Amino acid sequence: MNMPVAKSDISASIPSAPTPPAVAKIVPLPLRQTAMNTRIRATLGKIAAAVIPPVVMIVVLLTAWQLLCMRPGATLPTPTKIWTEAYDLIVDPFFVAGPQDIGLGWRVLVSLQRVAIGYGLAALFGIALGTLIGQSVWAMRGLDPIFQVLRTISPLAWLPISLAAFRDSQPSAIFVIFITSVWPIIINTAVGIRNIPQDYRNVAAVLRLNHFEFFWKIMIPSAAPYIFTGLRIGIGLSWLAIVAAEMLTGGVGIGFFIWDAWNSSRLPDIFVALAYIGIIGFLLDRIVAGISSIVTRGTSAN
Amino acid sequence: MTSYCKIDHVDKVFTRGNTETCVLKEITLDIEKGEYVSIIGHSGCGKSTLLNIVAGLTEATTGGVILEGKHVNEPGPDRAVVFQNHSLLPWLTVYDNVRLAVDKVFGAKKSRAERDEWTLHNLNLTQMTHARDKRPSEISGGMKQRVGLARALAMEPKILLLDEPFGALDALTRTHLQDTVMGLHEKLGNTVMMITHDVDEAVLLSDRIIMMTNGPAAQIGEILSVPIARPRKRLELVTDPTFLKCRQRVLEFLYERHRFVEAA
């Protein structure tokens, strides 16, 4: 802002000596500040561009919901009613008021523990079996159609069978998670192993890598993007399965909470639980996707 | 009659269902130690198949390859290959790609520090030290081939197999890499067998040019010695009568006597 003034000063009155140093000192400072300002503004702009649209949409949807359910005779509660009636559930996830009266955070943790065991087993078993199957054309041809049929079976349909087999709700729930999430992991791993480029096999052959080295240095890294696709589908499915399984087996988990709330006509609580399930499922997916992008960095790009 | 590397009466027949396709017929070739041999021919004449047979990646139907008096029929680091499409492992850095080969070949013979040094030495030979921590996806096609070359050289192969190493590169990068390969051949005295379909490249780099007839049942049509003294200078050769004569011989072979008949 001082520039034009300074310039006219110089051109108008050359002999006035004190002006040039003053110009030299003043000009750089505002320049640097504007550079900083634009950078901060750009960052803030980016954050705003990511945050504002979803916030606006949530407000719009909540308003629509509020308006729709405010009519007389509406069967579902409004957001404001949920807020007032399920206030303690929303604000404090980790309260303990009695053996069956605990915060949703605790219930989610119990469910997550079951998922961790069932999904962990599915990941180990699925990757191992997929690796074996992927190496044999005949195993692939023989087993792939069977897996394709089995993977479409609903988690709930497995529950009676697992209850009959284990005669206990806890292992049954874990088994249901396992059996739901294992198929995409097996299938994707097998496809990944089958799709190892001939180039990498040639490199391994020229270097005379043994089976063990080939497995760790070529096979697993090369198939990693496929394996992680399977793992990502698997975590989504197992989170779907846990809610269904817990509804039927009982216990402390978030699924049973919904069933219990339904039986005692606490509709607002169910909505809060749904929000929990959605957010946790989203986070689980993000976590697996994050691990995937770290582990497979550079692998997919060629 | 014991040559350094002998391709001995190699036939290759591919069988698919009931149809048999004879790709290579009666290929016999002796390669001397330190010699630079190019194999040139139209696409589909089986020159890559021949290289794969020497590498051990493809098995000859009859005949075989003898390297330093020993029959070779499986791949090994003594016949290191620089693949046309570089074949670097994308999840490893430039350094780790070379190091993998060094660890495998010299794991028992060299200490950890020596292997590190040897890896860097070979990256330095191909002028790729500056990109040691980059991944293959972050470097150019020419650089990838340099890393592929460093990996192959690091195995200290008895014979270096180049499978159209410059085929996928632009003309300027190719020139640059040819000079690098020529310089390394002079410096290290490697025995090299190179597949190419570039006549100038073949004449510039080779001691002998093996010209293949068109497939099926491709044979060695003619062998041309290139009696140009080394070190060779690209710019001087442009007007060198021997260079021009050799070039003409290869061109005549490829485009007059064994013209590529497309979809005949």
Side-chain angles (χ1 to χ4, degrees), chain A residues 33-34 104 124 158 196 198 202 220 242 253 278 284:
Chain A
Q33 263 180 358
T34 41
L104 282 179
L124 285 178
W158 289 104
I196 295 173
Q198 188 57 42
N202 284 346
I220 291 296
I242 183 70
L284 287 176

Side-chain angles (χ1 to χ4, degrees), chain B residues 237-250:
Chain B
L237 286 184
V238 177
T239 50
D240 186 295
T242 323
F243 178 83
L244 293 175
K245 215 165 78 189
C246 289
R247 192 170 173 273
Q248 196 189 349
R249 280 279 295 278
V250 180

